[in-house]
Amino acid sequence: MTGVSRRIVAVGTTAAPAWADAGHAGTQVITLPVSAVTVDAVTGSVSGRQADDVVVVLGSQVPDPAAVVHRLRPGTSHLAVIIVGPPPAGGMDAVTLMIGERVRRIHEDQLDHVGLLLDELFQMLATRRRHRAMQAGAQAHLAAAGTRIESRLGERLFGELLSRAPIGAVLTGTATELLAWNARAADLLDLRDPGSLHTGLPALFDDPGAVAGYLATARYDAGDGTKPATFHRTAADGVTGHLRVTGQPSIDDTGRTRLLILIEDVTELVEAQRELTLRSQAAIASAQVAAALTAAESLDRKLHRCTEAITTHLGLTAAAIWTGGEGTAPSALRATSGAATGITDASEPAAVPSPGVLSYPLLSENQRVGVLSVVYPATADPAVLAPLPAIARQIAVGIRQDHLNDSVRAVAEALQRPLLPPTLPVIPNMDLAARYLPHGDGTRIGGDFYDAFALPDGRYVLALGDIRGKGPEAAAATGLVRHTIWTAAQHSPDPAYVLPLVNQALLRLGDARFCTLVYGLLSVGARGCSQLQLSCAGHPAPVIARNGTARLADSRGTLLGATPRLRLHSETIALTAGTAVVCYTDGFTEGGGVFSREPEDLAAEVGALPGGTLSAAAVADTLLNRAVSSSAGPVRDDLALLVAVAT
């Protein structure tokens, strides 16, 4: 550009470097050594005529490039920097933050590329200078309009083009007083020419202090204008709108600073964004409530999560849920969130201002199952409360479903109870324990079972099995297997006699009701002289633990109910004092798809238990608790254990 000089200031590089001379004829090159006065020296070299475009090259020996750039910052509009050295960790440092795109970094072994960077940076500075010149010319033309500002009124200052522009334009003086405006601004701000001349612009908005603060920032912004800001304004007819304001400093032909302000009506946009935000908040709150009500947790925990979702996502002060209260029955406070002190149960919606309290009856199939009450601040948007009736219906359905699940669970437990022995027999020199946990939430009948009973000859039968499937059909097969085992054992308890009869009963039942079974015949002798004959029909091998070691029983066999021909193998185990036999179902190994491990892993777990010190109940509880904790939620398969420990 005419009258613009170029200057290269090289700090900490070779004096008069070749890359500075080549291709930059007429460019002044200043080289400075790295020393304690580097910052001051560079500042002096850069300062001077503002017509100069300056590129500072900071060599790799410059200890603090950011400090140098910081001192140069008043002149950054005509300054660019090349830094020799690796980029900072994370790609951003104080230099980049200060002058942004006008900084380049280059490695020391790439100094031959500095010439290209100089061309690029000088071209960028020239482009920015031309842009500023055109912008200043346009502002001067707009501000001056061929005469002094004070001698022109209202929209006449802007001429034909801006007078008819669809966006509001306002010019203010040093004290934010109105000097000029166009027709659109007159409509947006209810301005009347000349009566509105010299009126303070902030006073036309609902929050004058906020507008005045914004205009003060815009007036002294040395960049390309402040970011737009949106303010409320209530018109003469009482309608509140949203106006987006953008300020830009301008110098008139007399050298005085004015502020050119563009004003746009964004009411529809703001209202659309507000509506979208409210809908999003309502959707998130509703989704969180649905997730809480379907979680495998207690009802109290579910309802507490519901109140948290309501207060968090709808911006309410507090929420509380009562359950019960049908007719004249008392209701019980089950969950609260936020400052819920003072909320009382109410069967019908009622509002109390500052703060407001709203109550919604929780109705499911026209039956009241509880009450939802919320506290909202006096400044709350009424639209925030709109989703609460639907959320109340969600909660009512969730409470009703929980009550139904309790009823179904009670029925399942009642049906399951006859399929398990009410008590275990007391066996001399033996400690016996059993555990059973149905899969899921306990609303369905499982297929696992165990049994233990005495025989007429003084021996005992221990049995644990797993029927294929769940529900009433599996329960019927379970009853059949238990009854067949007991009946057959009264005649002959030998596994070779009992297991084929069970197999025949299942084949006759049909419907592919397979069964895996552990069958044990316990002969009780004097202390340390008992023995157990074990047979497994398609079932995971029991664990035999003794003296801190554990192994799997060698008693494999054919699945029952699958084929008329069985292959069975029995193992007789001597039950010395401290020997433990652990029979389990496959829920402890396969885990219903949640976790998977081999029977050998379970044997190692049993072997790690303190040998000789744990009771059968302690062993059973430990294994059951570990299986439940490993499932990370409701168990997906039935869990059954039968543990015998010789004493």
Side-chain angles (χ1 to χ4, degrees):
M1 294 180 63
T2 304
V4 178
S5 300
R6 292 181 173 181
R7 218 186 295 181
I8 300 174
V9 179
V11 184
T13 62
T14 305
W19 46 259
D21 295 335
H24 297 89
T27 300
Q28 181 183 8
V29 180
I30 302 173
T31 60
L32 298 173
V34 177
S35 66
V37 294
T38 295
V39 174
D40 294 331
V42 175
T43 304
S45 300
V46 173
S47 61
R49 294 188 306 126
Q50 292 293 316
D52 288 354
D53 285 341
V54 183
V55 177
V56 178
V57 183
L58 300 178
S60 59
Q61 302 301 315
V62 176
D64 191 356
V68 177
V69 176
H70 182 73
R71 288 286 296 274
L72 298 174
R73 196 175 181 189
T76 53
S77 61
H78 63 287
L79 171 73
V81 177
I82 297 175
I83 300 177
V84 180
M92 182 67 70
D93 62 355
V95 174
T96 306
L97 292 174
M98 281 188 281
I99 60 176
E101 64 177 359
R102 284 171 285 135
V103 61
R104 299 288 189 275
R105 290 186 179 271
I106 189 170
H107 286 279
E108 195 166 11
D109 57 357
Q110 297 177 320
L111 288 177
D112 54 337
H113 296 162
V114 172
L116 296 176
L117 289 180
L118 288 169
D119 290 338
E120 176 186 339
L121 292 175
F122 277 129
Q123 184 177 359
M124 180 190 66
L125 293 175
T127 300
R128 293 176 63 88
R129 188 181 291 274
R130 285 193 297 270
H131 174 75
R132 289 195 302 273
M134 288 188 293
Q135 185 182 52
Q139 290 177 350
H141 175 75
L142 176 65
T147 183
R148 294 174 60 86
I149 288 178
E150 286 82 0
S151 63
R152 302 297 298 273
L153 298 179
E155 63 185 59
R156 295 197 301 275
L157 175 66
F158 289 101
E160 184 70 17
L161 179 62
L162 284 182
S163 283
R164 301 181 180 276
I167 189 172
V170 171
L171 197 71
T172 68
T174 57
T176 69
E177 74 278 9
L178 291 172
L179 300 178
W181 56 86
N182 67 355
R184 180 57 177 159
D187 292 338
L188 295 175
L189 301 176
D190 292 330
L191 298 176
R192 297 295 176 264
D193 183 23
S196 299
L197 194 65
H198 300 299
T199 299
L201 179 61
L204 302 177
F205 290 83
D206 293 348
D207 189 348
V211 177
Y214 172 81
L215 296 180
T217 302
R219 179 175 300 282
Y220 297 105
D221 193 312
D224 298 328
T226 55
K227 293 182 179 180
T230 301
F231 302 99
H232 296 114
R233 182 179 185 277
T234 302
D237 57 4
V239 177
T240 299
H242 305 274
L243 301 182
R244 182 161 58 196
V245 176
T246 306
Q248 171 66 54
S250 176
I251 306 297
D252 68 7
D253 59 341
T254 65
R256 286 170 295 186
T257 299
R258 306 300 187 192
L259 194 61
L260 174 64
I261 302 166
L262 301 180
I263 303 176
E264 183 181 2
D265 187 354
V266 293
T267 301
E268 291 186 3
L269 176 61
V270 171
E271 290 299 326
Q273 292 175 339
R274 168 182 164 275
E275 179 68 18
L276 178 61
T277 299
L278 292 175
R279 289 180 179 271
S280 298
Q281 291 173 338
I284 294 173
S286 180
Q288 292 290 330
V289 168
L293 294 172
T294 55
E297 298 174 331
S298 68
L299 180 60
D300 285 345
R301 177 57 185 162
K302 292 178 182 180
L303 297 182
H304 178 68
R305 288 177 56 185
C306 289
T307 58
E308 285 186 332
I310 291 170
T311 55
T312 300
H313 298 294
L314 298 184
L316 303 180
T317 304
I321 295 175
W322 286 261
T323 59
E326 181 64 33
T328 59
S331 55
L333 181 62
R334 300 293 291 270
T336 61
S337 180
T341 304
I343 300 182
T344 58
D345 178 11
S347 59
E348 298 297 334
V352 179
S354 303
V357 178
L358 279 175
S359 295
Y360 300 87
L362 303 179
L363 302 175
S364 177
E365 297 181 358
N366 295 323
Q367 293 184 359
R368 180 187 171 197
V369 295
V371 174
L372 166 67
S373 292
V374 298
V375 178
Y376 60 93
T379 57
D381 189 332
V384 171
L385 306 173
L388 286 175
I391 290 177
R393 289 192 293 271
Q394 280 183 278
I395 296 174
V397 171
I399 294 174
R400 183 64 178 271
Q401 185 61 47
D402 192 82
H403 292 168
L404 292 176
N405 286 342
D406 286 343
S407 300
V408 173
R409 194 177 295 111
V411 172
E413 291 175 357
L415 293 175
Q416 188 86 52
R417 197 173 301 116
L419 303 179
L420 301 173
T423 59
L424 295 176
V426 177
I427 304 176
N429 303 322
M430 293 295 299
D431 184 18
L432 205 61
R435 297 291 183 270
Y436 173 76
L437 182 66
H439 72 290
D441 58 2
T443 58
R444 297 185 63 191
I445 305 172
D448 290 7
F449 68 93
Y450 63 86
D451 204 354
F453 55 86
L455 295 171
D457 61 3
R459 291 182 292 180
Y460 295 85
V461 170
L462 307 180
L464 181 138
D466 185 357
I467 301 292
R468 174 183 174 273
K470 302 289 185 290
E473 295 83 0
T478 299
L480 174 66
V481 170
R482 286 191 63 218
H483 178 73
T484 303
I485 292 174
W486 187 88
T487 303
Q490 304 307 308
H491 184 267
S492 172
D494 192 314
Y497 176 78
V498 174
L499 296 184
L501 290 179
V502 175
N503 187 55
Q504 293 176 19
L506 287 172
L507 289 173
R508 183 181 179 188
L509 181 64
D511 197 27
R513 286 296 164 185
F514 308 134
C515 174
T516 66
L517 181 66
V518 175
Y519 181 86
L521 182 58
L522 176 63
S523 299
V524 179
R527 179 179 176 83
C529 298
S530 300
Q531 63 180 20
L532 179 65
Q533 183 183 3
L534 275 179
S535 294
C536 288
H539 199 88
V543 176
I544 312 300
R546 183 185 292 115
N547 299 327
T549 62
R551 66 175 179 86
L552 296 176
D554 183 17
S555 53
R556 298 175 300 277
T558 307
L559 178 74
L560 301 178
T563 175
R565 302 183 62 181
L566 295 181
R567 292 183 180 180
L568 301 174
H569 174 71
S570 296
E571 177 185 6
T572 300
I573 302 163
L575 299 179
T576 58
T579 301
V581 180
V582 179
C583 302
Y584 56 93
T585 54
D586 60 4
F588 283 88
T589 51
E590 298 176 3
V594 179
F595 62 89
S596 180
R597 54 182 175 174
E598 298 298 325
E600 289 80 4
D601 299 325
L602 184 64
E605 185 176 339
V606 174
L609 297 177
T613 61
L614 292 182
S615 64
V619 173
D621 288 337
T622 300
L623 297 179
L624 183 64
N625 292 336
R626 290 180 180 178
V628 171
S629 61
S630 299
S631 67
V635 294
R636 299 189 184 180
D637 198 4
D638 302 333
L639 299 174
L641 275 173
L642 183 60
V643 180
V645 178
T647 59

